[in-house]
Each structure stands twice: as C-alpha cells, then as structure tokens.
C-alpha cells in the first residue's frame, strides 16, 4: 500500500483543470471554434492542390472556359489572357503584402512593443483616442470576428477603404485576454467598436455622454446607472422582463375578487428611455439562459453564424451553412406566392427541393430526390441546371453535399434525355473536375454522369461541344477534356469516335490539339483495359506519327499513350506495335530527361508482348541505355528504369547468364545504397525489381550480394535488405544457399534482429521466414537464437517482449523438427511465468506462443503440465482485449481437444461459464472458437452439464449470445449424438418464454443441419413440437420451424419418412401467403426441400389447385412455387401432368392412367 502522501495513480493522463478552464474561457470570449479546422478539412477545396483549384478559373457567368485565343474582344468581356494574367499578378502581390504586414505585426508583438499593460487600467484619454482611431479607420470591407461584448457598427462603404491601413491598425491593436473576474469595458460612440483593453471587475465602466443623456435612470453609487439584474434593459423581446399579458394575468390571479383598472387619461410610462436603450447596450455580466432561446442568444452575440433554422415550405433542416444564403436567399423569407409568375414559382420549388436534398435529414432528402426526379421534365432543363451547377462550384462544398448534388444530376439526366443538349457544356465544366479528383468514388460518379450525358446528347453534340477545349491554352482544361472524351468513347464505343480521334491527332492547326488527341487515346486505354484489343491497331496507327512530332510534349505523350495501350493489351497485340518499334528505338538514343523516360516506359511494356527471341534481342539493345540511366538523379527516371528492368527480367527470352553478367553488377552498384532506403517512392520499386531479378538469377546470387548489408550501420537500409531476403527466400526457398552463405545469413539476421531500435514487423517476418526455410539446417544456431529470445522476453520494453513471443510462435515448429525439446520446454516455462503480463497486446502474443509450443510438443510432454496451465488461463478469459481472447480460446480449445483428461471436470465447468461471455465477442473468430470449444468439453465431460449451461443461456437478452448458444448445442449434438440433446431441447421448449422457445427451435434447426441422415431416427419425435411452432401466431416461430422442416426433409430424403413429411407439408403450405420477406423465404425453401423428400409429383398436385385462381395474389404465389418446381425437376414432372386431351363444357376428368404414361 502506498504512503498517504503519495499522489493517487490515474488510469490516464489529461491536461490540468486550470488549462482546460482557460481554453473554455477563450472560446467564450474570443468566439474561437476549436472544431473550425476539422470542419474546413471536410471541405473539398481545402484538401485539393493548386492544380485542382484551377477549376474555379472557369467563367461561371457564360459557362465557358476562358479562351486566350479569342479574336473578338467583346466575346471575352474582360476575360482575355492578358487580363487574367494581370489579375493573377495583382492577387499574388496582394498576398505577399498581407504576409509581410502580418509578419511585421507578429515581430512587434514578440518584442513587447504594446503600449498598454495587462494589470493596469489605461487612462481615459488613451481609451478615447484608440476608439476614435478605430472609428475613423474602420472603412475596410473585410469581415471582422464578431464578439459577444461588441455591438456591430453600421455598414461601411467599400469605396472608403484604403489599401491596407485598416488591417494594419486592426492587427496592431493589442488583443488581451480577460480574466474570469473581468467585466468588459465599453466605449460607445456613434459607431461603437471594441476597445483594445478590457477593464477589470473593480474598475468603473466608461460611458459616453451621448448615451448618458439618453438614459433617464438615476445614477447609483460611483456613477453607475441603476440597471435591472443581469445588466440589460428589459425589452419586449426578452421573455423574462416583458410585461405580462391579460391572458397570463388571468391564469395567474383568481378570477374573483380582482378588477382590471382602466389607466387614467394622460397616463405615461415611468421609464420611456427603455425603448430607446433597447439594443444599444450589449448584455454584460451573468445571465441564466433557457434552452429554448440559447441558440438565438449565441447567434445574436456573434459566436455562431446567423443562419435560419426554419425555412418556409422546407421545414427543419439538418444544418444550414452561411454560404447557402446567397443561393437560397429567395426562399428564406415568406412571400405571397399569388403575386409571383409561373417561372418564379417553379424556381422557388426547385430551390426548396435542392435545399432539402442538400441539407435535409435522410427521410426528407429521399422524398425531395424522388419529387425532383419525377418532375424533371415539368421543371425543364434550364431552371434545374441554373440552380444545381452553381452549387457544385461552391468553394466550401463538402463530400456529402457534392455526392448528393451529383446524384440529383444523374437522376435528372435520365428523365430529361435529349432536352439536356443546350446545357451539355455547362454540365461538363462542373463535372469534368471530378474525373481528376483524388477520391475514387468521385471519379466514378463523374464518369457515370458524362457517360449518361453522352448517351442523352449523342456523339455529334458531344464532339461539337468539347471541340473548342481540345486546343485550349490551359493544360488543366485539356487534361479534363481528354478524360471526358475517353468516357464518351467508353459509353458510345471506340469505333464511333475513331475518325474524329484520327483527325485530331493529325491536326496541323496547333500542337495542343495533337497533344490532347493522343492523351484521349491514353485515357481510353487506361479506362477500358483489354476492351481496346479489337481496335488496337487503329489506335496505335492514329498516334504513331506523334513519335516523330516536332513538339517535345507531343512525342512524350505519344510514348506514354503507347505504354498505356501495351499495358492494356498484355499479353496480346505485339503485331499492332510493329510500326512504332523503330521510332521507339531511335527515340531512346535521341532523347534525354522526361522524353527518354516516356520512351523507356513504352519499351518496357512492349517487350513482354514479344516472342522470346525478339524479347532477348530488344532487351540487350535497351539495357545499354538503362545502365547509363542508372546514374540519373531524376527520381521519376529512376522509377521508370526500375520498372523496365523488372519487366525485361520477367520476359521469357532473357537468360539468367545475361542478367548475372550484364545487369546485376551495375544494378546493385547504383540502387543498393543507403539513400534508396530513405526514399519511400523508390524503396518499394527497388525491392520488387530485385525479387524479380532473383527469379532468373537465383537465391544464392541475390542473397550473396546483399547479406553483408544486414550488418550495415543504417537501420532503414538493414530493413530494406531484410525485406528483400524475406521475399526472395519465401518465393524460391533456401535450397540454393550453401553452407558458407548460410552462416553469414543466420549471423546477419540475428544481428539485425538484436540491433533494431524500433520493433518492426519486417525483422520479425524475415527472421521467421529464413529460419523456417532453412529447416533442420538451423540446428547449430538454435541455442544462440533461443538465448536471444529468452533475453528479450525479460526486456523492460513491452514491444520487445511482444516481438520475442511472436518469434517463438514462428520458430516452434522448426525447434521441434531439430529435436530440441529441451529448448521448447525452457521457452514454455518462461512464457508461463510471463502470463501475468499487464499489456494486452504482449499478453496475447505470449499466450499464442504458449499455444504454438503446446501444438508441437503435445499435451503429455508439455512444460508446464496442462493441469497447471489451464487454471492459470481461466481468469485470463475475462480479459476484454480481442487478441488476448482469441489466443486464450485457441489454447483452451486445443487443450480440450487433445488433453482434456489431464484437467479436473470442475475446472472445465468453470471454463464453460467463462466461455458464455465470449459468445458476445465482436470478432467472429472468437465466437467460432468458443462454440467449438463447447463441443470439445462436452466430448470429455459428457453433454449433460454443458447442455444445462447452454440451455440456461437461452434466457439472456443479447441475441448474439443466444444464437451462439444454439450453434454450440448443435455442435454438442454432433459430437455426442443427437439423442443426448433432442430430449433436453424438447423439454426446454415447454418453457413459456419467447426467447427460450425461439432458441430451442433455432438449436433444432442447427442440429438437423449438422447431423444430416441421422435425422430419420428423430423425425417422428419432433413432429408435435413442429406442429405447435408452425401454427403459432409469432412469425419468427413459423420462420424457424420452416427452416427446421427444410433441414429435416433434406436429411431424411429417401429414408422412408414420407408420412411425417406429408404431415409437415400440410402445416407449412398455408404459410406460403406470408408477406414478410424472411418468413416467405424460409417457407419457400421448406417447400423446395419437400420436393426432394416427397417428389415433384406430390407438390404438383398442391400447386395445380391455385395456378388459375381468380385472385392475382394467390396466382402469383402458386406460379412462383410452380416455377421453382419446374426449374428443379422439369423432366420428373412429365408423368404427373393432367390429361387435357378431351375437354368439354361438361365435367372433365384429368386422370392420367399408368398405361398412358408407359406409352
């Protein structure tokens, strides 16, 4: 027990209370929202790069891109290229000046140049001077942070703003945090503003003469006006201080004994100044708020944006952002709709529906989405897209809002069909940016929209609309247009777009058009994959000339396009690339930099398509260039060179001798250096390329070159070496490794494992893989390895102990193979002593290691003995950590399966009770292991005690626990025989409790599913219970009973139980009209099983009665049964069809005689 003076130990650490209070105070005073940054991260624009944000540079007013080549001055309307550049320069300079000013102000603050001191009351003249200075210089239009203790000044003309002066003043004024006991000081003037210093609680508030002259309230002590409690004047809007109405007085006072006195003539209010003062003085001091008006008060104080909560015709919304005001302003206030025109009414209706979809709750959103879809043609394309598209371009748009608006466009497009043509370009301007979005699902949605749009508008209209953007000066526009064209080709077929593509790729007007045309082909290949094969030759021919184009960018894009086509066509289509092989090989000798990288990438994808002899020749040709580029400092070039080496090495025609002699020396010299381990981009590529080279060169060649680096000083490099050796050995085994290399390898992995500073999975996997691959050859080193493990098991770091236990799990099999049982026993004892581990992750690993040792040693040789181990494991079962639970239940299950006789029955019963809690585990593997363990325990102890525990557990509330108990009962039945369980289940079914009876039925269902043909012996004994269940009012009873009938019928098929099955069919059949999907599914499955047990002829006699019933709902059910019957046994039904040969108006006989069937 600790000393009384010692501090109480806490389970977790947190910030001191005074710091938390200070943050709360800042939130209250400064209006600072700690979740503002999180909210911004939800906005799409805040996560996007500058390249993605270029979509905002597209002119929204006219819905077209800014065209730098526009000849008509009026067409650009001030949006020429020169104008755009000028605006960009101005904005850049503005940002620079802002940053400089902010930096200067920050430095001044740090140097302590503030005029005022926190602990002293500033002189009156300083306060008045600061207030007048703020008032005279507050002409800037920039928004200021609203404070709860400041009254907003009137609107200020933008024309009065100076360049930066007011921002300098605003930033230079010292903002000092008030203490909890401070009362804000207000300097009120014609334009009331915040003073730079707040007064303390013991200071006299400064009130200007102008307000004092208005106030008629007599002054109290110290010149303070006598104010009502709370510091605010009563107003008609304040429900706490307003006058009571007559109705409220009637409710409060007795009806008899009181008279309402009429005010005398000339009566005037005592304090007429109240109305004047209302709204002039801000609320100060403490005031109790009701929940009902708390939100309104917060909004009025400026801490929350003023947003409407109820909108006429829309109702309550899930949220409403301030940015939504500008789009939905027309519907925020109620107007007389009788005075509005039809178009205005339609516009408001669309806006209301869009607001419901964007900001409404899920049920409201669903209804509004259906309405706007159904009325799409009635609203028209123009009004719809004029409202939807600007919303999608909002800078503060979030993922969910964008998803919903895109869904609206998708639904509306389907309804509008060809009416959408005039708005194709506007839609594309908004949707095309989705094609390059970082979110995969956004890209898929964008493709879906453009695909539907192209089907609705037609190919000709899509081409004419997007044609101007193909040679646009802005690369962003060309990029998104190329991707959109690839979606059009995917939707309407490559052949329909091919003539246009050929023309664009050969355009002589501008290189931008050729560049975009080739990029379209590249995007088609990326998007459609192997679907380009039928059109491969045409696509290659369309872009082949680009390899010799005069423009470098066109040549580079052509090579990338060919690489994409070859990758999509692999392993076919080499004949289509014949025309480009020569230009490619000439190109790799002529180009440098990015151009060469693109050409090498194309060759890397084309070589694997070739026949072996050609592949060998071309690989030797390109290797010269590759080895030269090994020395390149460009990261992109390194990545491509590694990829090409990997592709060439995997090609069939490349020989191991060539790789060993010509590629490996230079490859290891250039890439196996420490710097590559620190470069995350190329790290993975180097490892993969080395593993691919090992497939040809062999394990010994690769491992021999890098094994010494396992002792390198740099840990990242050691990890890179270990990962490569792991993958090579895992892929190819260790049979090629000679004795000398084996010694170096084991020595290296032990060194690397011991010297790691952070416990990494790479080292653990590598150690386990190498030792398991070496197998019995590792015996001489086992003592050293086990000593290392034992030392690390006693390390003070939990991570080190956990890693040592995990390594034991991986090495247990090899240690047993080598016959080192003594080492295993030693490890087992040490691990047993570690079962008191406090860290759950480490404890889980220790238990798993103990289980691995128990698996390989066996229960008889296990050290410590099983009878000592199991009682120690029982309390650990209560641990709620998933890893601990799974490892524990696996170990206990193994002991129950193989060594249950070494443990007393009382201990097994105790474990049974602990296992019940594991049936509620979240992880399915834990529940499955627990259920199987019940079977093992029942096999040892006999089923009675275990069944008693499980049947009692059917009374609990958790459904998951009850279901797992029923499965465990079925496993016990399968293990110990159904005769041990079915009587107990039938007896328990007599309990008049819903959960118990449902559990018994479900248990029987699993029992008959597991025991199969043995069901025939117990069929008659369960009929009476099934009669009760199939005629019960509860749907779940009938559903579960139908499932039992299904398993029973499938089990007894052909075993002579047709009479019982017919009886059960008569009970199941009336349920075929149920509407609940679960019930009708179970009933139909039971009827299908009866077809197997009784034969299709019996069921056909039931079905024929209702096939032509006058009621449609009856006919539908019977035809559904008949269709299933026909699909399952069409040929077997033939003898049972009625004879329809002679039909008359009299009574017909449909009997089919045996002779007819025989004939």
């Amino acid at each position: 027990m600790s000393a009384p003076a010692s501090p109480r130990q806490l389970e977790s650490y947190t910030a001191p209370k005074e710091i938390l209070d200070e943050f709360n105070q800042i939130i209250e005073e400064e209006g600072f929202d700690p979740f503002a940054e999180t909210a911004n991260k939800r906005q799409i624009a805040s996560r996007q790069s500058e390249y993605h944000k270029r979509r905002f540079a597209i002119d929204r007013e006219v819905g077209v891109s800014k065209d730098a080549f526009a000849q008509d001055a009026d067409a650009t309307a001030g949006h020429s290229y020169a104008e755009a550049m000028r605006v960009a320069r101005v904005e850049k300079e503005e940002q620079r000046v802002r940053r400089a000013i902010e930096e200067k102000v920050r430095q001044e603050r740090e140097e302590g140049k503030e005029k005022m001191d926190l602990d002293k009351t500033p002189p009156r003249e300083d306060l008045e001077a600061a207030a007048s200075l703020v008032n005279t210089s507050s002409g800037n239009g920039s928004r200021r942070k609203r404070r709860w203790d400041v009254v907003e000044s009137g609107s200020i003309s933008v024309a009065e703003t100076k360049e930066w002066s007011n921002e300098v003043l605003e930033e230079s004024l010292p903002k000092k945090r008030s203490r909890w006991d401070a009362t804000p000081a207000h300097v009120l003037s014609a334009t009331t503003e915040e003073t730079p210093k707040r007064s303390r609680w013991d200071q006299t508030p400064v009130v200007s003469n102008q307000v004092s002259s208005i106030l008629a309230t007599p002054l109290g002590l110290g010149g303070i006006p006598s104010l009502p409690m709370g510091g605010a004047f009563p107003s008609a809007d304040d429900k706490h201080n307003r006058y009571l109405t007559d109705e409220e007085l009637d409710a409060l006072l007795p009806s008899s004994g009181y008279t309402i006195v009429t005010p005398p003539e000339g009566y005037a209010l005592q304090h007429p100044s109240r109305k004047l003062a209302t709204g002039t003085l801000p609320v100060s001091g403490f005031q109790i708020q009701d929940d009902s008006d708390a939100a309104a008060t917060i909004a009025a104080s400026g801490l929350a944006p003023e947003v409407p909560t109820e909108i006429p015709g829309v109702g309550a919304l899930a949220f409403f952002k301030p940015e939504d005001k500008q789009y939905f302003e027309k519907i925020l206030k109620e107007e007389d709709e009788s005075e509005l025109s039809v178009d205005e009414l339609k516009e408001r209706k669309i806006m209301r529906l869009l607001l419901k979809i964007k900001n409404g709750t899920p049920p409201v959103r669903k209804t509004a989405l259906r309405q706007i879809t159904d009325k799409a043609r009635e609203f028209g394309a123009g009004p719809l897209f004029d409202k939807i598209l600007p919303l999608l371009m909002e800078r503060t748009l979030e993922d969910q809002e964008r998803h919903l608006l895109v869904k609206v466009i998708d639904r509306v497009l389907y309804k509008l069909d060809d009416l959408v043509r005039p708005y194709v370009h506007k839609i594309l301007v908004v949707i095309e940016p989705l094609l390059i979005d970082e979110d995969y699902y956004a890209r898929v949605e964008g493709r879906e929209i453009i695909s539907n749009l192209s089907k609705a508008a037609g190919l000709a209209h899509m081409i004419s609309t997007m044609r101007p953007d193909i040679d646009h000066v802005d690369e962003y526009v060309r990029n998104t247009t190329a991707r959109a064209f690839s979606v059009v080709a995917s939707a309407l077929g490559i052949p329909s777009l091919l003539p246009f593509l050929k023309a664009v790729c050969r355009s002589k007007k501008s290189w931008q058009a050729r560049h975009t045309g080739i990029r379209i082909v590249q995007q088609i290949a990326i998007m459609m994959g192997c679907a380009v094969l039928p059109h491969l030759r045409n696509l290659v021919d369309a872009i082949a000339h680009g390899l010799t184009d005069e423009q470098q960018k066109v040549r580079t894009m052509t090579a990338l396009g060919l690489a994409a086509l070859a990758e999509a066509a692999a392993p076919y289509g080499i004949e289509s690339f014949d025309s480009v092989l020569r230009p490619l090989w000439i190109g790799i000798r002529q180009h440098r930099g990015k151009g060469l990288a693109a050409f090498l990438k194309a060759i890397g994808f084309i070589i694997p398509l070739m026949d072996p002899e050609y592949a060998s020749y071309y690989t030797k040709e390109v290797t010269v260039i590759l080895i030269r580029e090994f020395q390149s400092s460009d990261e992109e070039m390194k990545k491509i060179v590694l990829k090409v080496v990997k592709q060439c090495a995997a090609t069939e025609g490349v020989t191991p001798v060539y790789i060993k002699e010509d590629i490996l020396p230079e490859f290891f010299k250039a890439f196996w250096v420490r710097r590559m381990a620190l470069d995350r981009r190329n790290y993975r590529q180097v490892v993969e390329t080395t593993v691919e080279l090992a497939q040809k060169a062999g394990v010994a060649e690769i491992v021999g070159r890098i094994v010494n680096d396992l002792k390198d000083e740099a840990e990242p490099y050691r990890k890179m070496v270990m990962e490569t050796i792991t993958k090579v050995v895992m892929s190819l085994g260790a049979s090629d490794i000679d004795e000398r290399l084996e010694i170096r390898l084991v020595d290296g992995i032990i060194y690397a494992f011991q010297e790691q500073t952070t416990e990494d999975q790479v080292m653990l996997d590598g150690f386990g893989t190498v030792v398991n691959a070496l197998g019995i050859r590792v015996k001489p080193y086992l003592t050293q390895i086990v000593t290392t493990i034992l030392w690390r098991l006693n390390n003070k770091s939990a991570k080190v102990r956990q890693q040592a236990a995990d390594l034991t799990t991986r090495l247990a099999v090899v240690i047993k193979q080598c016959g080192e049982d003594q080492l295993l026993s030693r490890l087992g004892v040490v691990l047993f002593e570690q079962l008191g581990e406090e860290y759950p992750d480490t404890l889980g690993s220790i238990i798993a290691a103990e289980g691995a040792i128990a698996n390989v040693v066996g229960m008889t040789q296990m050290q410590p003995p099983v009878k000592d181990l199991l009682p120690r494991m029982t309390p650990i079962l209560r641990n709620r950590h998933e890893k601990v639970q799974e490892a524990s239940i696996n170990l206990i299950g193994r002991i129950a399966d193989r060594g249950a006789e070494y443990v007393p029955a009382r201990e097994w019963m105790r474990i049974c009770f602990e296992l019940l809690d594991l049936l509620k585990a979240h992880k399915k593997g834990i529940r499955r292991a627990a259920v199987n363990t019940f079977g093992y325990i029942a096999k040892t102890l006999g089923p009675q005690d275990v069944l008693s525990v499980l049947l009692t557990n059917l009374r609990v509330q958790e459904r998951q626990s009850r279901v797992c108990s029923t499965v465990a009962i079925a496993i016990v039945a399968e293990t110990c025989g159904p005769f041990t369980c079915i009587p107990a289940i039938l007896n328990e079914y007599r309990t008049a409790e819903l959960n118990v009876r449902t559990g018994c039925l479900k248990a029987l269902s699993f029992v008959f599913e597991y025991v199969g043909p043995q069901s025939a012996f117990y069929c008659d004994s369960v009929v009476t219970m099934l009669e009760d269940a199939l005629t019960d009012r509860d749907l779940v009873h009938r559903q579960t009973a139908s499932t039992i009938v299904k398993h029973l019928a499938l089990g007894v098929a052909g075993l002579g139980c047709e009479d019982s099955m017919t009886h059960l069919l008569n009970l199941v059949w009336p349920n075929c009209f149920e509407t609940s999907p679960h019930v009708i599914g179970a009933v139909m499955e039971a009827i299908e099983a009866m077809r197997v047990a009784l034969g299709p002829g019996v069921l056909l006699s039931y079905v024929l009665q209702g096939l032509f019933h006058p009621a449609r709902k009856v006919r539908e059910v019977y035809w559904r049964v008949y269709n299933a019957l026909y699909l399952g046994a069409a040929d077997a039904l033939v003898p049972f069809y009625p004879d329809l040969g002679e039909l008359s108006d009299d009574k017909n006989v449909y009997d089919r005689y045996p002779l007819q069937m025989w004939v």
Side-chain angles (χ1 to χ4, degrees), residues 139-140 144 168 215 355 451 502 611 629 743 749 942 1017 1141 1148:
N140 194 357
R144 292 191 44 155
V168 175
L215 300 177
L355 188 57
S451 176
K502 287 182 177 177
D611 292 334
E629 293 302 322
I743 295 170
I749 61 172
F1017 302 115
N1148 292 304

Side-chain angles (χ1 to χ4, degrees), residues 223-444:
I224 303 175
S226 301
L227 298 178
M229 190 173 180
F233 288 98
S235 67
D237 298 329
D238 186 1
K239 69 179 188 179
H240 298 291
N241 295 314
R242 62 180 174 77
Y243 295 112
L244 295 174
T245 61
D246 290 343
E247 291 78 8
E248 288 170 334
L249 287 169
D250 289 341
L252 287 170
L253 301 173
S255 55
S256 60
Y258 287 87
T259 343
I260 300 173
V261 182
T262 309
E265 292 182 4
Y267 171 75
L269 287 172
Q270 290 292 326
H271 303 291
S273 60
R274 285 175 178 170
K275 285 188 179 179
L276 294 172
T278 301
T280 0
L281 273 182
V283 177
S284 62
F286 177 71
Q287 190 175 25
I288 297 176
Q289 295 175 347
D290 261 8
D291 291 340
S292 55
D293 59 355
T297 310
I298 291 172
S301 66
L303 292 180
E306 295 178 2
V307 293
T309 52
E310 286 283 329
I311 295 172
V314 177
L317 297 171
F319 62 92
F320 191 91
K321 299 194 297 187
E323 295 83 8
D324 293 337
K325 268 189 173 181
Q326 57 178 315
Y327 299 106
F328 300 104
E329 197 169 2
K330 290 184 180 178
I331 60 170
L332 294 184
K333 48 191 176 183
E334 208 162 354
E335 293 186 21
D336 186 6
E337 296 192 348
S338 59
E339 298 177 1
L340 300 176
S341 65
V342 176
D343 290 340
E344 289 175 328
L345 286 172
K346 191 184 296 182
E347 182 187 20
R348 278 168 166 73
K349 177 68 173 169
I350 292 171
M351 289 167 76
R352 287 192 188 100
L353 290 173
L354 283 176
L355 188 57
K356 286 180 182 179
I357 292 168
K358 183 174 168 294
N359 295 2
T361 56
V364 172
R365 186 192 308 150
K366 189 176 180 182
T367 310
L369 196 57
R370 188 182 297 115
Q371 287 179 7
I372 204 169
T373 307
D374 293 341
K375 295 183 179 179
R377 294 187 79 90
E378 180 187 326
F379 289 143
L384 278 170
F385 291 122
D386 287 344
K387 296 298 173 193
I388 298 171
L389 299 180
L391 282 171
L392 271 166
M393 291 304 294
E394 170 58 49
R395 287 176 182 267
T396 59
L397 200 67
E398 296 177 8
D399 291 297
Q400 171 72 356
E401 296 171 301
R402 180 177 66 181
H403 167 70
L404 293 169
L405 291 171
V406 167
K407 186 187 278 189
V408 172
I409 292 181
D410 199 18
R411 302 267 182 97
V412 164
L413 277 180
Y414 178 73
K415 286 286 185 180
L416 291 174
D417 203 31
D418 57 345
L419 294 177
V420 82
R421 282 184 181 172
Y423 300 92
V424 166
H425 194 274
K426 285 188 175 183
I427 296 170
L428 285 173
V429 164
V430 176
I431 298 298
E432 278 179 356
L434 293 181
L435 298 177
I436 58 170
D437 196 90
E438 58 184 9
D439 182 16
Y440 168 77
Y441 296 102
R443 298 198 297 272
V444 170

Side-chain angles (χ1 to χ4, degrees), residues 968-988:
I969 291 169
I971 288 178
V972 170
E974 185 184 22
T975 309
C976 304
F979 62 90
T980 59
C981 294
I982 289 178
I985 295 173
L986 294 176
N987 184 58
E988 194 71 19

Side-chain angles (χ1 to χ4, degrees), residues 929-951:
V931 163
N932 290 331
T933 305
F934 273 115
Y936 299 140
I937 295 173
K939 190 192 229 175
T940 307
L941 301 183
Q944 289 77 18
D945 293 331
V946 178
L947 265 181
S948 171
V949 173
L950 291 172
L951 290 171

Side-chain angles (χ1 to χ4, degrees), residues 1095-1123:
V1098 176
L1099 254 68
L1100 183 64
S1101 63
Y1102 282 78
V1103 170
L1104 288 175
Q1105 302 170 32
L1107 285 179
F1108 306 101
H1109 195 278
R1112 179 178 56 83
K1113 288 190 174 181
V1114 176
R1115 290 198 307 274
E1116 282 179 351
V1117 172
Y1118 275 82
W1119 275 104
R1120 179 181 174 183
V1121 177
Y1122 174 74
N1123 289 337

Side-chain angles (χ1 to χ4, degrees), residues 808-810 812-813 824 847-857 891:
T808 306
T809 306
R810 293 163 191 246
V813 176
L824 277 176
I847 296 170
E850 197 74 72
I853 293 173
N855 277 345
V856 297
V857 171
L891 175 57

Side-chain angles (χ1 to χ4, degrees), residues 697-724:
V699 179
E701 185 71 29
I702 299 297
V703 172
R705 287 177 180 271
I706 61 175
V707 69
N708 290 338
D709 294 333
L710 282 171
K711 294 187 176 182
D712 194 88
E713 294 175 3
E715 186 172 5
Y717 187 54
R718 292 202 302 267
K719 285 182 182 175
M720 180 174 164
V721 174
M722 181 68 95
E723 186 174 346
T724 305

